[in-house]
Amino acid sequence: MDDASQLLEAASDFSHYPGVQSDDSARDFLNRYPLPVIINALQTKFDVPGLENTLVACLERLFNTKSGASLIPQYMSFVQVGLQADSQAVRSLACKTVTCLLENLDNDYKVADSARLIEDFNIYPLLLDCLINGNEQVAAVATDAIKKLAGFPKGMEIIFPSAKGSDTDLEIIVSKCSSLGRVRVLALVVKLFSVSKSAASTIYSLNLLKLLEAEIRNADDTLVTLSVLELLYELVDVKHGTEFLSKTSFFQLLSSIISNNSVESILRSRAMMITGRLLSKDIIYSFTDEPCVQAVVSSIDGRLQLLEPSDSDECETALESLGHMGSSIHGATMLLSGSSPAARHVIDAAFERQGPQGHGKQLAALHALGNISGETRPENDIILNAEAEENLQRLIYETASRSSKLTPSGLFLSVLQQDSEIRLAAYRMISGLVARPWCLMEICSKQEIINKVTNPSTETTKISMEARYNCCKAIYKSLTLSSRVSSDPAFSGIAAKLQEAVGMGPYLVKRHVEAQPVVMTAERF
């Protein structure tokens, strides 16, 4: 086209059309402006202001329709050239076009045909180049395209060829990359690991997880180490990843970071959070040796003993990490076992008043104690083994005896009398603890506690209202299940009050409606 103004106007209208473009509108546009015309303009009309961005946006919308996507196999040479373009916008478009191609495969024949096209046009190595050398947006869409390719068995063969040492060998690529490129390739490994258990197994068997371990051990660049720890944080959350991660040395690596006083505090904090997320899953204990788990918990325990009052952020993170562990029955049992349980830090901090500076520490500890006591666990998993339960009770009574409140009920009331954030955490803590008969007696022996949790006007936010209500339900349920307490006439009034509060629901109910004057027809004359 000699005059690109008409194409520019039409492409702008198509790309800015509100809503989803239909196949009919895509076909209509392509009848007026065939793909060769658009591609030629994109490659030659560099001097027309705004043309490139407009055509890129137009082609993205075209290829996102079934009609447009069906044309991609005929224009793979354009995709190949686009992946090597100097323009980042064009490279981004080419990556997205590969994704559109793979998203519109309806049968095995199309899968095999598309895999052949990707191999014939050398698409995968070019995607890797976009990932490593493109800008942030190009790297993201290149990762998406490779992840989509990994969703097919033929795609996995392209990404992980049987022959080692090829140009696409991720281990070799990482060894030659800049720090940014290494992080991007490792992020790709994590994304591929999450695709399926089969993909995770392949990555594990190729020792690609060792690349993450090596990068974390290399403490030369704190920013890179932190980035890789963030990737490990994502990896831990992969549903099928626990079995493979338990076979690596990540636990030992995390433990060494947490115990190392010379590393940056932020690195220790991230290592603690990753540990907490790992040990919050009961299944991890089926694959990991107990000494290995205990070693990493001991490293957090030891760190908490060394922290100064000024290390508030790291202290909060450590308590939060213990809370994550305590959300699983195995983790809670481990934290409450031994002569000096790690959970003692949580219980001490939960009831320690340190003014505004200690607010975050107390809040984190109360939420952690809520998890450890079973507030987040299924009903059958709330109560732990005899040793853990004995230690839980002992630690709370010892903490109370050292305070001015003297009794656990006094501690519970003190946190319920604080600000809304602390009260919310206290409701969660009591909801878990009250399943124990000793705690139920402490709660019911303090009328002020019952008045607090049954008062529907105490809280003003939805989450706090629901937490207060759940606390009411937990106390009432434990009360009805305890023959010792329910049969005591002294507690009959408490049971009735709790029952009424539960019946009212979680949200504020207006009991009294103000009288309003009613004007009768006859009274108007």
Side-chain angles (χ1 to χ4, degrees):
M1 294 182 64
D2 294 328
D3 182 9
S5 59
Q6 290 183 353
L7 173 59
L8 179 60
E9 182 179 356
S12 179
D13 291 342
F14 187 86
S15 61
H16 290 97
Y17 178 82
V20 179
Q21 288 283 14
S22 67
D23 283 341
D24 289 338
S25 61
R27 277 191 289 268
D28 180 62
F29 184 87
L30 289 170
N31 284 336
R32 289 185 293 143
Y33 302 98
L35 266 181
V37 172
I38 301 173
I39 293 171
N40 180 64
L42 187 61
Q43 293 175 330
T44 60
K45 302 292 183 180
F46 303 111
D47 55 338
V48 180
L51 181 68
E52 180 181 88
N53 288 336
T54 301
L55 292 184
V56 164
C58 176
L59 287 170
E60 280 185 22
R61 298 204 71 176
L62 277 169
F63 291 142
N64 270 307
T65 65
K66 284 279 186 182
S67 177
S70 66
L71 299 175
I72 295 173
Q74 304 171 41
Y75 293 90
M76 288 301 288
S77 57
F78 161 68
V79 176
Q80 184 184 49
V81 172
L83 290 171
Q84 302 171 79
D86 293 332
S87 166
Q88 297 294 314
V90 174
R91 295 184 92 182
S92 175
L93 169 65
C95 294
K96 290 178 180 178
T97 305
V98 175
T99 301
C100 290
L101 171 69
L102 297 171
E103 284 178 340
N104 288 275
L105 303 177
D106 300 326
N107 53 53
D108 293 340
Y109 171 76
K110 285 189 176 181
V111 171
D113 195 43
S114 296
R116 179 182 55 78
L117 287 171
I118 286 173
E119 284 186 299
D120 289 348
F121 285 90
N122 204 37
I123 297 298
Y124 176 60
L126 296 177
L127 286 172
L128 280 177
D129 182 68
C130 287
L131 167 71
I132 296 166
N133 299 313
N135 64 17
E136 189 174 349
Q137 181 188 4
V138 171
V141 292
T143 300
D144 291 340
I146 296 172
K147 184 178 177 182
K148 183 64 66 175
L149 180 63
F152 307 98
K154 286 292 293 182
M156 286 295 291
E157 292 176 13
I158 293 172
I159 296 171
F160 300 113
S162 55
K164 292 284 288 181
S166 65
D167 292 339
T168 59
D169 190 318
L170 296 181
E171 190 171 355
I172 294 175
I173 291 174
V174 165
S175 67
K176 297 178 179 179
C177 277
S178 64
S179 58
L180 176 61
R182 292 200 307 274
V183 171
R184 286 180 174 181
V185 174
L186 294 178
L188 174 65
V189 171
V190 172
K191 293 289 185 185
L192 295 177
F193 189 89
S194 68
V195 168
S196 64
K197 189 171 183 178
S198 173
S201 178
T202 300
I203 288 170
Y204 175 78
S205 63
L206 291 173
N207 283 326
L208 293 180
L209 293 181
K210 298 288 185 183
L211 299 178
L212 277 83
E213 294 182 41
E215 203 62 53
I216 293 172
R217 285 195 176 91
N218 179 17
D220 294 340
D221 190 329
T222 299
L223 187 59
V224 171
T225 305
L226 184 60
S227 298
V228 180
L229 283 174
E230 292 297 327
L231 294 176
L232 181 55
Y233 192 77
E234 291 180 30
L235 197 64
V236 167
D237 210 32
V238 176
K239 184 178 179 181
H240 52 260
T242 308
E243 178 182 351
F244 299 104
L245 289 174
S246 63
K247 299 174 183 177
T248 66
S249 59
F250 278 124
F251 271 122
Q252 295 90 325
L253 185 55
L254 293 170
S255 181
S256 66
I257 293 174
I258 296 167
S259 303
N260 190 344
N261 293 328
S262 63
V263 304
E264 297 283 346
S265 174
I266 191 171
L267 297 180
R268 287 195 299 268
S269 294
R270 294 314 292 167
M272 290 178 193
M273 290 306 297
I274 294 167
T275 301
R277 179 172 278 201
L278 262 174
L279 297 181
S280 67
K281 303 174 182 181
D282 279 312
I283 192 172
I284 192 72
Y285 298 90
S286 303
F287 298 111
T288 310
D289 294 336
E290 186 176 343
C292 186
V293 175
Q294 288 177 339
V296 74
V297 174
S298 296
S299 65
I300 298 177
D301 186 345
R303 189 64 198 159
L304 278 166
Q305 295 180 59
L306 296 174
L307 290 176
E308 300 292 335
S310 57
D311 302 319
S312 57
D313 290 344
E314 190 173 340
C315 181
E316 288 173 29
T317 302
L319 293 170
E320 189 178 345
S321 175
L322 294 179
H324 282 304
M325 296 179 202
S327 61
S328 71
I329 188 168
H330 289 90
T333 302
M334 177 182 59
L335 293 177
L336 285 164
S337 298
S339 57
S340 185
R344 72 188 186 280
H345 298 289
V346 173
I347 295 170
D348 287 343
F351 302 108
E352 186 179 8
R353 293 291 294 271
Q354 296 181 346
Q357 293 179 341
H359 181 273
K361 178 180 176 182
Q362 184 180 23
L363 185 63
L366 284 168
H367 278 298
L369 184 52
N371 289 351
I372 293 169
S373 63
E375 191 267 344
T376 57
R377 295 196 296 270
E379 186 177 331
N380 294 334
D381 289 342
I382 291 179
I383 303 299
L384 308 172
N385 63 29
E387 181 191 10
E389 288 295 330
E390 182 181 344
N391 279 333
L392 176 61
Q393 181 179 357
R394 175 179 61 81
L395 289 170
I396 291 179
Y397 272 94
E398 286 179 355
T399 301
S401 68
R402 293 193 300 267
S403 72
S404 60
K405 307 301 178 183
L406 300 179
T407 63
S409 59
L411 294 179
F412 299 153
L413 180 60
S414 70
V415 291
L416 287 172
Q417 291 172 333
Q418 295 183 50
D419 63 83
S420 59
E421 282 188 312
I422 295 291
R423 287 199 306 273
L424 169 61
Y427 292 138
R428 291 190 60 243
M429 173 195 69
I430 293 173
S431 297
L433 286 175
V434 79
R436 284 89 179 165
W438 63 266
C439 183
L440 179 63
M441 289 295 294
E442 290 287 341
I443 295 293
C444 293
S445 67
K446 204 81 167 177
Q447 185 64 44
E448 294 97 323
I449 295 177
I450 302 300
N451 293 341
K452 278 282 184 184
V453 299
T454 57
N455 185 355
S457 62
T458 302
E459 306 302 337
T460 56
T461 63
K462 182 176 182 291
I463 187 172
S464 295
M465 290 177 183
E466 291 171 350
R468 180 200 63 80
Y469 176 69
N470 291 334
C471 184
C472 268
K473 285 200 303 181
I475 297 171
Y476 180 64
K477 183 175 182 179
S478 296
L479 193 59
T480 55
L481 292 175
S482 174
S483 57
R484 175 187 171 190
V485 180
S486 60
S487 60
D488 191 332
F491 297 125
S492 59
I494 291 176
K497 192 166 188 175
L498 287 164
Q499 185 178 23
E500 181 184 7
V502 171
M504 289 175 65
Y507 310 113
L508 178 61
V509 178
K510 293 183 179 180
R511 292 188 176 185
H512 305 290
V513 179
E514 295 181 3
Q516 296 180 350
V518 178
V519 179
M520 304 295 291
T521 304
E523 294 175 346
R524 291 187 295 167
F525 299 99

